[in-house]
Amino acid sequence: MSDRRKFIKKAALGSVGLSALFSCASHANVVTSTQKVVPKKPIKKPLIISTWNHGLPANEEAWNQLKNGASTLDAIVAGVGIPEADPEVRSVGYGGLPDREGKVTLDACVMDKNSDCGAVSFLQGIKHPIAVAQKVLENTPHVMLTGEGALQFALSEGFKEENLLTEKSKLAWEKWLENSKYKPIINIENHDTISMLVLDEEGNLSGGCTTSGAAWKMHGRVGDSPIIGAGLFLDNEVGAAAATGLGEAVIRTAGSAMVVELMRQGKSPHEACKEIVERIYNKHKNHKDMAYLQVGFIAVNKNGEHAGYSIRPGFNYAVCDDEKGNRMESASSKMSKEDK
Ligand code: SD4
């Protein structure tokens, strides 16, 4: 059996056996917003968590890369590269929904255990912005390149320029132009920005985040996803966190950095995500963005405890480890389905 098939089989077995594994129910899907995450025995490493359903194929690829000896960052770049290349994922990379001028503009970043980071923002014409972000980390003295400069850098690194606007996304844009209203859709088709956090075999943390951003944004708009501290942050002594949802709200609150800082103060990933989601909610409850406000965080600490928490229900994340394979877990949320 190929490694890939073995993995899928194992993942399926893992979810069947989930209810039977009472003693190792160390995962955040059993946590409601009123319960606390109690520190449990450290789980087996590596551990990979990624936002949304498209996290499953991304985790699978990253997992296989790690098992085949790839560096953690290479595994992340290859993993999130799966939804980046998938035209059916309309919120990341190729096939992503464009801005209001019909341009697909991409944001991405990576961060490693040494707190080195690389990012690109407002990048056009390159299918894998996450791979360019990795090159910014490795081959430049900077943290972020943007727009035309990011494109020139990508080309100098050998990336190929291509049209990322698929026929489907172009049609969706033309339809949007009929009314031209900017109102981000909450939990777009249940697959949004992909953020991936990895606790590797050595217990070191790394992360990556990639997106085409909010559909129908203004040309030139950059969201939280490429901003270290907003869309992604980690401190290898403490933990890692990443965001999805309305980038403006995450930037206003330095979201992921705050989640990590709360974990440093002793909060569990669940408690830390919950507190920052509540802070964002409270700061926005009378704000014009509230009508379409959704923000979700995932977080993992050095013990391999992890959690997801969002403002509105509907957010989920993919978790992959040796013990239970690759599966989806639901995030707890501040609001319920009934809340408007
Ligand atoms: C952004 N956080 O650009 C990203 C994308 C996203 O709902 O998650 N949109 O704001």
Side-chain angles (χ1 to χ4, degrees):
M1 205 186 298
S2 70
D3 277 358
R4 184 184 157 91
R5 288 191 47 212
K6 265 194 229 145
F7 181 88
I8 291 169
K9 196 164 165 217
K10 190 164 184 191
L13 285 173
S15 40
V16 170
L18 207 113
S19 53
L21 289 167
F22 182 72
S23 63
C24 48
S26 60
H27 297 282
N29 66 331
V30 295
V31 176
T32 69
S33 54
T34 52
Q35 290 173 315
K36 270 188 164 184
V37 174
V38 185
K40 300 164 192 90
K41 65 178 171 125
I43 64 159
K44 268 185 119 181
K45 297 173 246 184
L47 169 74
I48 307 176
I49 65 175
S50 298
T51 52
W52 303 111
N53 291 335
H54 52 197
L56 280 178
N59 281 0
E60 185 189 335
E61 177 64 26
W63 181 270
N64 288 336
Q65 293 275 338
L66 284 177
K67 292 292 168 179
N68 289 329
S71 74
T72 310
L73 223 46
D74 283 347
I76 290 171
V77 167
V80 302
I82 301 291
E84 277 185 336
D86 184 346
E88 293 308 317
V89 178
R90 316 287 294 286
S91 47
V92 181
Y94 176 61
L97 291 170
D99 65 15
R100 55 189 71 176
E101 292 182 19
K103 305 263 183 355
V104 180
T105 75
L106 306 176
D107 298 334
C109 71
V110 291
M111 188 162 191
D112 72 11
K113 63 180 181 183
N114 302 315
S115 295
D116 279 327
C117 22
V120 290
S121 57
F122 191 48
L123 175 62
Q124 297 177 63
I126 303 289
K127 196 185 260 176
H128 290 294
I130 195 82
V132 185
Q134 184 185 17
K135 295 289 181 196
V136 172
L137 183 161
E138 290 171 355
N139 296 344
T140 79
H142 305 305
V143 164
M144 186 189 289
L145 294 177
T146 196
E148 186 58 25
L151 175 61
Q152 290 314 318
F153 170 70
L155 296 176
S156 76
E157 289 284 339
F159 289 84
K160 191 169 96 233
E161 196 172 358
E162 52 196 308
N163 176 26
L164 303 182
L165 185 66
T166 57
E167 207 44 42
K168 226 173 174 176
S169 290
K170 183 158 172 267
L171 285 175
W173 169 60
E174 284 164 356
K175 179 110 191 77
W176 178 79
L177 282 177
E178 289 169 13
N179 294 310
S180 308
K181 288 224 166 52
Y182 182 68
K183 191 171 186 294
I185 302 164
I186 294 159
N187 302 335
I188 311 172
E189 293 171 299
N190 217 13
H191 48 67
D192 209 301
T193 292
I194 181 154
S195 301
M196 176 181 283
L197 306 175
V198 176
L199 181 68
D200 66 21
E201 295 270 9
E202 282 77 47
N204 291 314
L205 291 160
S206 301
C209 182
T210 178
T211 190
S212 52
W216 331 132
K217 60 194 174 185
M218 290 177 71
H219 190 58
R221 179 265 191 189
V222 171
D224 59 315
S225 302
I227 298 177
I228 300 295
L232 174 73
F233 193 69
L234 64 88
D235 184 321
N236 198 41
E237 289 172 12
V238 177
T244 179
L246 189 71
E248 282 73 6
V250 179
I251 296 171
R252 284 180 195 121
T253 49
S256 294
M258 291 300 160
V259 171
V260 172
E261 214 42 39
L262 290 184
M263 289 194 286
R264 185 195 305 284
Q265 291 166 18
K267 300 230 175 315
S268 69
H270 174 77
E271 291 166 333
C273 291
K274 180 171 185 283
E275 185 167 332
I276 298 307
V277 161
E278 284 173 354
R279 187 178 299 171
I280 293 175
Y281 174 87
N282 287 330
K283 284 197 186 297
H284 287 84
K285 57 185 180 213
N286 299 316
H287 193 278
K288 63 182 167 42
D289 288 353
M290 190 58 209
Y292 47 73
L293 183 68
Q294 169 65 317
V295 169
F297 290 100
I298 53 171
V300 59
N301 66 16
K302 291 286 275 186
N303 290 332
E305 292 174 295
H306 56 84
Y309 203 97
S310 57
I311 292 180
R312 296 173 196 269
F315 177 44
N316 58 3
Y317 66 108
V319 183
C320 187
D321 59 25
D322 246 331
E323 199 171 51
K324 298 188 198 169
N326 198 12
R327 72 280 182 186
M328 293 308 299
E329 303 221 353
S330 300
S332 307
S333 62
K334 159 81 182 150
M335 296 170 75
S336 69
K337 275 201 185 110
E338 290 69 43
D339 291 324
K340 289 277 172 271

